[in-house]
Amino acid sequence: ILGSAYLFNAEPDHLNDIYNVEAKELEPWKDSPGEVSTYDWRDYLGDARYQRAYVDFFEDELVLNGYDWRKVLVTYLFQGKEPLIHNLVSGLGHPLIHLGYAYELSSRDLAMEALAMAATSYNHLHKYLDDPSYTKPSPNNPSKSPLELLCRLQKDNRFEGVLRDPGPDNLQPLFRDHEAVMLEYWNAWQISEPTQDFQASQRAAAALLVASRKAGGAPYDFFLVHVLTTSHAVRILLPLLPAKYHIPLVRQWWLLTLSVYIAQLRPEILLRSVGDYDLKGRGWEWVDKQAVGGKHALDAHYVKGLRAMKTAARTWGDEDRFYLKAAVRFGDEFDGWGGFGLSSREGAQPTDDQYA
């Protein structure tokens, strides 16, 4: 949130307020069971206990490489038969989001943290990119529109009654029992013109967050906003990564999108709720004010969501004002997060890490 607020031109006092609020939510450092070295750094992938060891290791590598953080990223993101770049959407996409901000803010600290996050949240999702057998023609009619596929998925009765409540507890049974159906949709997105196809995905991400909430209904979905913010990170990274990783990165995002959408019980996407939204004279200046001075300006995901939509509009143009309407509606109606399912009703404090 500090990066987003800074890029919204927030005043120093507001940045300090954000820091003080966010610092209260952070867990104290815990010593790792051991150190990580260049010889065994892959041995502890996916083990959150080694978080501090990985941060220390990558920071040491940064020093050894003359503080060239981009060189360190190249070394550890792209090497090997199963490169770390193929598993950035684990942990609800936070390694991907963090890496995007590292490049956007040119921050070596964020870059090393992103590597550590990717290492400790590493999980089974990498196999869908590393193993070519998972990429095959889909029995589902292919489409160039991810939004069309999401709408088709919403009506797919093969998922009816399969999941009872939204939330991260759905992911394990989803991948265990319904992988084949989900991969039909994963392989059905036809990416032939990466720039135009990714443009369509950003519009789908904004629609999924904003147009899936019925007016006067439940709070905005905490997990669906990550579809939008990870899409923003992909937009930042695509021009900066080697071309061979462009489509795999976008397909990672699509896998995250599908799994989160199904886990959140496939809410209907009502595009007219955005297209017909009355702006009442409000524009991007109003959005900016909400992000740095509104009553939710200290909510990290609220601010990041607004900025993702504003940046998408600036990148692709917004002739029909879809992004503006989505951002204004979200900015005006937002009053906390929902989508947690049983964990919320049982009094637990849901966090991003539930999707790790």
Side-chain angles (χ1 to χ4, degrees):
I1 184 177
L2 278 171
S4 287
Y6 172 78
L7 293 167
F8 265 123
N9 297 315
E11 295 293 331
D13 286 346
H14 180 59
L15 295 176
N16 284 327
D17 290 341
I18 292 173
Y19 179 86
N20 291 331
V21 169
E22 288 293 304
K24 295 176 183 177
E25 303 296 324
L26 299 177
E27 295 181 1
W29 272 118
K30 295 179 182 178
D31 289 335
S32 298
E35 295 183 348
V36 172
S37 74
T38 54
Y39 302 103
D40 62 5
W41 73 274
R42 293 192 66 95
D43 293 349
Y44 308 105
L45 292 179
D47 191 336
R49 298 176 304 161
Y50 283 83
Q51 181 187 58
R52 186 165 190 171
Y54 272 114
V55 171
D56 290 342
F57 168 67
F58 289 125
E59 288 182 345
D60 288 345
E61 290 296 291
L62 181 65
V63 174
L64 292 173
N65 285 276
Y67 292 94
D68 186 342
W69 58 272
R70 292 177 178 84
K71 182 178 179 181
V72 178
L73 287 178
V74 168
T75 299
Y76 289 99
L77 280 179
F78 305 133
Q79 69 171 286
K81 294 181 179 180
E82 297 181 347
L84 210 55
I85 188 72
H86 283 171
N87 201 186
L88 295 181
V89 296
S90 58
L92 197 49
H94 280 91
L96 176 58
I97 295 169
H98 222 69
L99 185 63
Y101 276 109
Y103 275 101
E104 195 168 14
L105 296 166
S106 192
S107 169
R108 66 192 187 198
D109 295 325
L110 290 178
M112 298 306 101
E113 290 174 3
L115 282 175
M117 292 173 73
T120 55
S121 61
Y122 194 81
N123 64 13
H124 70 284
L125 294 178
H126 74 91
K127 69 180 183 181
Y128 298 105
L129 280 301
D130 289 328
D131 185 346
S133 68
Y134 287 103
T135 299
K136 52 191 174 184
S138 173
N140 218 315
N141 290 331
S143 173
K144 292 180 65 65
S145 169
L147 190 55
E148 177 189 334
L149 290 170
L150 289 172
C151 292
R152 194 186 302 171
L153 175 57
Q154 195 274 328
K155 296 178 174 64
D156 193 327
N157 58 20
R158 289 176 292 180
F159 286 103
E160 289 300 323
V162 168
L163 304 171
R164 296 178 57 188
D165 291 281
D169 291 342
N170 290 331
L171 285 181
Q172 184 175 351
L174 173 62
F175 279 93
R176 183 189 64 223
D177 303 330
H178 308 283
E179 177 191 72
V181 180
M182 184 172 62
L183 292 184
E184 284 184 18
Y185 286 92
W186 187 55
N187 284 308
W189 184 19
Q190 200 172 49
I191 305 176
S192 56
E193 300 175 59
T195 301
Q196 294 181 11
D197 296 335
F198 180 67
Q199 179 180 354
S201 76
Q202 290 226 278
R203 190 178 180 95
L208 182 53
L209 172 65
V210 182
S212 67
R213 178 190 183 272
K214 296 180 181 179
Y220 280 98
D221 192 296
F222 176 78
F223 299 106
L224 293 182
V225 74
H226 290 78
V227 172
L228 176 61
T229 50
T230 50
S231 174
H232 172 78
V234 173
R235 189 200 68 81
I236 297 298
L237 293 172
L238 283 180
L240 304 171
L241 298 182
K244 65 181 289 187
Y245 296 108
H246 289 183
I247 290 179
L249 184 64
V250 174
R251 297 193 78 220
Q252 274 187 80
W253 171 85
W254 182 228
L255 183 63
L256 174 70
T257 299
L258 291 171
S259 59
V260 171
Y261 183 56
I262 298 170
Q264 297 308 105
L265 305 186
R266 301 172 299 130
E268 186 177 5
I269 302 170
L270 303 169
L271 290 176
R272 289 187 62 183
S273 68
V274 175
D276 295 343
Y277 186 77
D278 185 2
L279 289 170
K280 299 178 181 178
R282 293 169 291 185
W284 288 113
E285 288 186 5
W286 182 88
V287 173
D288 292 352
K289 290 179 181 178
Q290 301 310 302
V292 298
K295 63 179 179 178
H296 299 293
L298 296 177
D299 186 295
H301 297 89
Y302 173 77
V303 175
K304 289 189 289 185
L306 288 175
R307 184 160 182 276
M309 287 185 274
K310 180 181 179 181
T311 306
R314 188 172 59 199
T315 301
W316 309 111
D318 197 24
E319 291 184 8
D320 60 357
R321 300 195 293 180
F322 179 85
Y323 288 113
L324 176 60
K325 290 179 179 180
V328 171
R329 182 187 170 195
F330 174 63
D332 187 41
E333 294 179 350
F334 180 81
D335 193 25
W337 295 106
F340 302 110
L342 287 173
S343 62
S344 180
R345 291 198 292 274
E346 291 171 354
Q349 294 296 316
T351 66
D352 301 318
D353 293 334
Q354 287 181 296
Y355 259 94

